[in-house]
């Protein structure tokens, strides 16, 4: 709005005219740019932590997939690096598969930011978008949904492996309606890169966070990383802790136009069991003790 009142008003008019015509593009998968996804800065970003993508099974290009990504962490840095850039060579590890990282739809209402997000293959996490990608965009699509969302970010802290999943069944219903296979994905180290002030249930702080989550879609977290020039000071730079994202074995899902609650519960239970098995199989490889248990809330 400020630009409209300056000598650059014509640029603003042209952009907002374009925005009106282009408003629904994010719902159709956006405009992926291999040039943006291959920027050199993403490789520096990957190496800072470092971030690694581990493939355990092949994915068929004749199928569509919904990846359940866990845990959310504070910012989902592993999800961003692995699936919205080519820093960890996701396209080479899963040839013929197009990853779409799903995020809050509100981000696509912001001018300019929306263009950048779409160029990385990021899409809104809403039903219209997912329905389009799984039914009208051919096969070989993989939608990455951070299932725990804002609620899970509130419990993110170093040393804790917990996921918000037990009552999150909407992604299973979508998978059944489209016959898209479910792929459990766990990111070891995602919770280690920031430290957060955890408010207890019933406290005023948690009440404020839940109100934001309910009405705005995200929960404000009080967190910190390291300083820009020193690891001994506080700042917003994440700590350089390894993040390893392990993509598990796909669960074959039948196509049911009107899945019953019994169907949803059955495949949701299968998904939870597969996620726990994935965690248990790989936990000791990435610095966790054999006794570590994944907490499913």
């Amino acid at each position: 709005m400020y630009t409209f009142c300056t000598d650059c008003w014509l640029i603003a008019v042209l952009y907002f005219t374009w925005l009106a015509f282009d408003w629904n593009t994010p719902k159709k998968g956006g405009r992926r740019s291999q040039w943006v996804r291959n920027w050199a800065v993403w490789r520096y970003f990957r190496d800072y932590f470092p971030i690694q993508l581990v493939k355990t099974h092949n994915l068929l290009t004749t199928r569509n997939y919904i990846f359940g990504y866990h845990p959310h962490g504070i910012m989902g840095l592993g999800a961003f690096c692995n699936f919205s850039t080519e820093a960890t060579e996701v396209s080479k590890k899963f040839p013929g598969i197009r990853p779409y990282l799903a995020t809050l739809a509100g981000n696509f209402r912001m001018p300019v930011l929306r263009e950048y997000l779409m160029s990385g293959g990021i899409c809104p996490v809403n039903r219209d978008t997912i329905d389009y990608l799984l039914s009208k965009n051919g096969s070989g699509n993989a939608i990455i949904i951070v299932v725990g969302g804002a609620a899970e970010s509130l419990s993110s802290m170093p040393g804790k492996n917990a996921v918000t999943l037990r009552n999150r069944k909407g992604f299973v219903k979508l998978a059944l309606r489209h016959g898209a296979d479910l792929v459990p994905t766990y990111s070891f180290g995602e919770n280690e890169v920031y430290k957060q002030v955890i408010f207890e249930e019933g406290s005023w702080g948690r009440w404020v966070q839940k109100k934001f989550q309910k009405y705005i879609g995200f929960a404000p977290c009080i967190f910190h990383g390291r300083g820009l020039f020193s690891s001994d000071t506080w700042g917003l730079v994440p700590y350089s802790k390894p993040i390893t994202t392990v993509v598990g074995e796909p669960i074959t899902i039948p196509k049911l136009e009107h899945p019953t609650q019994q169907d949803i519960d059955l495949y949701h239970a299968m998904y939870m069991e597969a996620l726990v098995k994935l965690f248990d199989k790989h936990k000791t490889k990435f610095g966790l003790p054999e006794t570590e248990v994944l907490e499913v809330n």
Side-chain angles (χ1 to χ4, degrees), residues 189-233:
E190 185 71 65
N191 286 342
E192 307 298 318
V193 296
Y194 282 110
K195 296 178 181 178
Q196 180 183 188
V197 176
I198 303 293
F199 293 103
E200 297 295 329
E201 289 293 339
S203 66
W204 67 269
R206 182 52 64 95
W207 180 84
V208 170
Q209 288 176 323
K210 287 187 173 180
K211 289 298 181 183
F212 265 84
Q213 179 187 338
K214 180 178 180 180
Y215 294 109
I216 300 180
F218 74 94
C221 301
I222 300 178
F223 65 92
H224 72 84
R226 52 161 290 172
L228 184 60
F229 301 107
S230 172
S231 60
D232 297 325
T233 59

Side-chain angles (χ1 to χ4, degrees), residues 73 80-81 87 105 113 135 141 144 168 192 196 199 226-227 237 240-242 252 266 288 291 296:
F80 171 79
C81 184
L113 174 64
S135 63
N141 302 291
I144 297 88
R168 299 291 175 102
E192 307 298 318
Q196 180 183 188
F199 293 103
R226 52 161 290 172
V237 179
S240 56
K241 301 289 184 179
T252 303
L266 171 64
L288 296 178
T291 55
V296 181

Side-chain angles (χ1 to χ4, degrees), residues 14 24 28 38 59 62 65 87 96 103 124 139 146 152 158 165 168 181 185 215 229 238-239 253 258 273-274 290 297:
L14 291 173
N24 289 321
K28 298 180 180 180
N38 281 284
L59 299 181
T62 55
Y65 301 91
T103 187
S139 60
V146 187
E152 194 170 84
L165 177 61
R168 299 291 175 102
D181 295 346
T185 305
Y215 294 109
F229 301 107
Y239 293 105
I253 303 294
H258 301 289
E273 182 182 359
E290 187 65 45
N297 300 313

